[in-house]
Structures are given as C-alpha cells and as structure tokens.
C-alpha cells in the first residue's frame, strides 16, 4: 500500500497531539493558507459523503424490509459488496488527489510492513465489517429506522473507549460531556415501549433488534479505532492509495465472508420468490439493492477518508451529525413515530455533537496560533 517515499520535514506541535483528533491528525506547516483551504474542502467533501451516504443507505435499507424484503443476508451483502464502483476512481486518479496533512510527517526510510501483516490486517478489518453489517441488518429488520439511527449515536462513545486504548486518545471536558450526552440519549430510547414496534414484529425480535444494533455500534467504533491504529502503525506512509487499498481490500474480505453466510443460510434459494413478491415490483427490487450498495460505499469512503484526514473519533462525530436527518425523513417516508423519548434523545445527541465540535474549534485555534508562532520563529 505504500507509494514512493518522500523527504519531508515534520513540524512538532508544542503541546503534543491534538486532544480531539489523536495521532493520525498531526497537522503540519506543509504550506500556506492555500494548502489549508484545500484540506478544508477535502474534509467538507468527505463530510457530505458521510451524511448523504448514511442517510440514503439507512432509508433504502428500511425500504427493502418495508416493501417485502425478508433476507438479513441480502441486506448484509449489499452493505459491503459495492466497492467495485470505486475501482475506476482508484485507477484514474493521481496519487496526490488525497494527501492528508500528516503525509508531511512521514520519516525518510520508513520500512514498509510485511505482506503477511497487511493480509492479517485486511482480514481482521474485513471480518469486523462483515459482522457489523450483519448486526445492522438485523437492527433495521426489527426496529424503526429512526431508532436504529439514534442508537447508532452511541458509536461515538464506543469509538472513544477503543481509541483511548488503541490510539492514546486524550479526553477533554468537552469530549467527556459529548460522550456522556450521547450515552444518555441512547439510554432514553430504552424507555420506548413496544408500541414503537414495526407491524408484525414480536417483542422477542424487537429486543433482538435493539441488542444487535447496540453491538453493531460497538463494532463500528472498534473498526474505526482499528483503522486509525492501522494508518499509524502498519501502513505508516499516508497517501490516496493507502486509503483506497484499505477500503477495497477490507470490503473484498467482507464480501467473501458475507457471501459464504448468504449461501450457507440458504437465502439464495428465496431470491426469486422475494423478488416476485416485492411490493414495488422486480425492477424496483433490484434498484433498491443496487442504490443501497452505492450509498453504503459512499458512506464508507467518506468515513475512512475522515479517519485518514483527522481521526476515528472525528469521523464518528460527523456520522452523528446525520441524527436529525434520517429520523425526520423516516417520519414522512415510513410514518415512524417521534415520541417524547425519541425527541429528547435527539436533542441530547445533537448537544453532544456540538460539544465535541466546539472542542475541535478550540484545537484548531490553538493549532493556528502555534503554526503562526513557528512561522515567525523560522522567518527570524
């Protein structure tokens, strides 16, 4: 996954790593304001990918189940199998299309990781992605889409927990406040009684969907924290190719794993029956699955790119920004109820995201001050 090494001079921050972005986000004086603006535009673009991909994928997944889809494995596969759409972009793009700010900190003579280690990393992340996709599919099958999305806000807390051990993530009062609010917002959802169950879902399946969604958010947090660790310790040299390789090989492993589960479960035998009975017709059935796969890949690409640019925790925060979008859309599309516990949960989740965003603002202001000081010293 490595490209040609370059001679680069890192700029050391006065107070160590950024408190909210961690080791992957060591930002340097690699250029004037123009480079900074280009980087901000990249981050804005990846943020749009995450928000649009997440919202579209969640609504399309629910549409599949709402209109007659029944296979958990079909929805699991479409979450990971869409990676070939990235291949044209992968081959035609120049290597420098995406270069994180920390690509200027790569040391001269960095030894690339062994092929065996890379294979182990991709298999680990791929299997984690496959398990995560299956758990989310169960959640979407048995819970209202608004509840799945709100529960997913706890992914930020899980990611912070794993990042603390894997990436030495530092916790400030604003980050702690953010994690506390997001955790409480999820706990409030337990107060929703069984009247929130979709039609035809038993209490047992409703509880199963809730538990699977919690575990899905935990595996998502672990996956992003692991990706950050892989960027730092295994892949080392930061480039566009590194990000794309990680996405493609991780998705390839996940696709193989979910395909094995799909055929082993026997769900492939029911595809024709499911397609014939789909309420919107056969063409809509196929298009629903195709666009769901595309939406998930847009979301995955944006999320991994934000991990690369900043940190796993920041990528989670951006995903949490989609909280108000999906539940509100689900009210109009699927007639989900916006009960009092859900409303309070959403407010607390948004508050938690704002708290983290403010910490990011403080970190950026401190970084700009330090950059200016180092610039003045170098001129002298």
């Amino acid at each position: 996954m490595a490209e040609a090494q370059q001679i680069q001079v890192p700029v050391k921050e006065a107070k160590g790593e950024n408190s909210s972005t961690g080791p992957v986000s060591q930002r340097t004086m690699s250029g004037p304001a123009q480079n900074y603006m280009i980087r901000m535009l990249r981050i804005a673009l990846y943020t749009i990918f995450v928000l649009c991909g997440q919202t579209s994928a969640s609504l399309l997944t629910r549409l599949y189940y709402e209109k007659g889809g029944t296979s958990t494995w079909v929805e699991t596969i479409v979450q990971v199998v869409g990676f070939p759409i990235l291949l044209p972009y992968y081959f035609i793009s120049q290597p420098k299309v995406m270069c994180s700010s920390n690509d200027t900190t790569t040391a001269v003579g960095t030894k690339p990781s062994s092929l065996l280690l890379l294979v182990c990393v991709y298999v680990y992340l791929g299997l984690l992605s496959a398990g995560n996709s299956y758990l989310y599919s169960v959640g979407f099958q048995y819970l209202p889409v608004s509840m799945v999305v709100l529960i997913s806000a706890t992914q930020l807390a899980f990611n912070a927990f794993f990042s603390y051990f894997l990436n030495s993530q530092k916790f400030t009062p604003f980050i702690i406040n953010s994690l506390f609010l997001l955790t409480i917002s999820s706990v409030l959802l337990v107060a929703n009684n069984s009247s929130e169950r979709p039609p035809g879902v038993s209490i047992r399946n409703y509880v199963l969907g809730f538990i699977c969604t919690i575990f899905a958010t935990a595996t998502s947090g672990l996956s992003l924290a692991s990706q950050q660790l892989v960027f730092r310790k295994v892949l080392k040299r930061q480039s566009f190719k590194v990000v794309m390789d990680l996405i493609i090989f991780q998705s390839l492993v996940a696709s193989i794993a979910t395909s094995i589960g799909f055929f082993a479960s026997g769900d492939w035998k029911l595809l024709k029956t499911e397609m014939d009975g789909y309420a919107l017709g056969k063409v809509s059935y196929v298009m629903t699955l195709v666009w769901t796969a595309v939406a998930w890949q847009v979301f995955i690409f944006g999320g991994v790119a934000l991990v690369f640019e900043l940190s796993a925790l920041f990528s989670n925060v951006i995903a949490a920004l989609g909280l108000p979008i999906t539940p509100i859309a689900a009210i109009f599309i699927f007639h989900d109820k916006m009960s009092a516990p859900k409303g309070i949960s959403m407010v607390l989740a948004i508050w938690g995201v704002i708290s983290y965003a403010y910490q990011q603002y403080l970190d950026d202001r401190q970084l700009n001050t330090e950059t200016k000081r180092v610039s003045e010293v170098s001129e002298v």
Side-chain angles (χ1 to χ4, degrees):
M1 282 189 136
E3 294 185 333
Q5 300 175 7
Q6 300 177 353
I7 299 178
Q8 297 153 331
V9 181
V11 176
K12 184 177 180 181
E13 294 187 17
K15 294 186 179 181
E17 296 168 355
N18 182 290
S19 60
S20 64
T21 58
V24 172
S25 61
Q26 294 174 336
R27 289 168 282 182
T28 64
M29 279 182 52
S30 56
Q34 182 180 3
N35 288 344
Y36 179 79
M37 288 302 299
I38 292 175
R39 180 167 178 268
M40 290 300 103
L41 288 175
R42 287 202 308 268
I43 293 174
L45 180 62
Y46 305 148
T47 298
I48 293 173
F49 285 168
V50 169
L51 296 179
C52 293
Q54 174 183 249
T55 302
S56 301
S58 299
L59 294 176
L60 286 169
T61 299
R62 187 60 207 172
L63 179 66
Y64 166 79
Y65 288 121
E66 193 82 8
K67 299 303 179 180
T70 58
S71 175
T72 302
W73 281 108
V74 168
E75 268 305 318
T76 301
I77 289 177
V78 298
Q79 291 184 43
V80 297
V81 79
F83 69 92
I85 67 171
L86 299 176
L87 294 179
Y89 181 64
Y90 176 66
F91 288 113
I92 68 176
S93 297
Q94 296 297 320
K96 293 184 179 180
V97 167
M98 182 194 305
C99 287
S100 152
S101 59
N102 57 325
D103 61 1
T104 58
T105 63
T106 305
V108 177
T110 300
K111 184 179 180 181
S113 300
S114 66
L115 179 61
L116 178 60
L117 178 59
L118 291 177
V119 170
C120 291
V121 165
Y122 293 143
V123 170
Y124 162 71
L125 292 176
L127 293 178
L128 203 59
S129 177
N132 170 259
S133 299
Y134 181 82
L135 291 170
Y136 265 125
S137 295
V138 175
F140 277 112
Q141 187 172 9
Y142 298 132
L143 297 179
V145 64
S146 55
M147 181 171 288
V148 173
V149 174
L150 290 174
I151 294 173
S152 298
T154 58
Q155 179 176 316
L156 186 61
F158 284 115
N159 177 248
F161 173 79
F162 291 121
S163 291
Y164 176 81
F165 293 101
L166 297 179
N167 301 307
S168 302
Q169 174 69 49
K170 294 183 180 180
F171 290 91
T172 67
F174 287 108
I175 290 180
I176 294 174
N177 179 62
S178 173
L179 301 181
F180 174 77
L181 291 171
L182 288 169
T183 301
I184 294 299
S185 73
S186 180
V187 172
L188 280 177
L189 292 177
V190 181
N192 272 332
N193 54 41
S194 59
S195 64
E196 290 291 320
R197 298 200 311 270
V201 176
S202 65
I203 295 179
R204 177 179 176 276
N205 287 338
Y206 181 80
V207 173
L208 175 63
F210 193 94
I211 294 174
C212 285
T213 306
I214 289 291
F215 276 100
T217 59
T219 55
S220 291
L222 175 60
S223 179
L224 287 175
S226 299
Q227 288 171 2
Q228 183 174 341
L229 179 66
V230 168
F231 279 133
R232 267 195 319 123
K233 298 293 188 180
V234 180
L235 305 179
K236 301 174 184 177
R237 287 163 289 184
Q238 315 295 335
S239 68
F240 165 79
K241 187 176 184 297
V242 164
V243 177
M244 293 301 295
D245 281 349
L246 178 64
I247 295 173
I248 290 172
F249 288 116
Q250 170 184 308
S251 298
L252 177 61
V253 173
S255 298
I256 294 173
T258 54
S259 296
I260 292 174
F262 174 66
F263 287 104
S265 67
D267 279 15
W268 62 276
K269 300 177 182 178
L270 306 176
L271 272 182
K272 188 178 185 304
T273 302
E274 187 175 89
M275 186 183 299
D276 292 338
Y278 197 66
L280 301 179
K282 295 181 180 180
V283 175
S284 295
Y285 176 84
V286 174
M287 294 307 296
T288 298
L289 296 181
V290 169
W291 286 111
T292 302
V294 171
W296 279 119
Q297 286 306 308
V298 170
F299 169 69
I300 292 171
F301 176 80
V304 175
L306 286 177
V307 173
F308 174 79
E309 285 284 354
L310 293 167
S311 73
L313 194 55
F314 183 83
S315 181
N316 270 276
V317 168
I318 295 302
L321 283 175
L323 279 173
I325 303 174
T326 306
I328 291 175
I331 292 175
F332 295 99
I333 298 175
F334 302 113
H335 306 292
D336 282 2
K337 297 178 181 179
M338 183 53 69
S339 60
K342 278 187 183 179
I344 297 174
S345 175
M346 182 183 296
V347 171
L348 290 178
I350 294 173
W351 184 5
V353 170
I354 292 175
S355 179
Y356 181 88
Y358 182 69
Q359 179 61 57
Q360 183 67 35
Y361 163 75
L362 294 179
D363 290 337
D364 285 339
R365 189 173 64 175
Q366 178 183 342
L367 176 65
N368 291 336
T369 301
E370 179 61 21
T371 300
K372 183 178 179 181
R373 186 187 67 80
V374 173
S375 178
E376 291 174 349
V377 171
S378 63
E379 289 177 359
V380 174

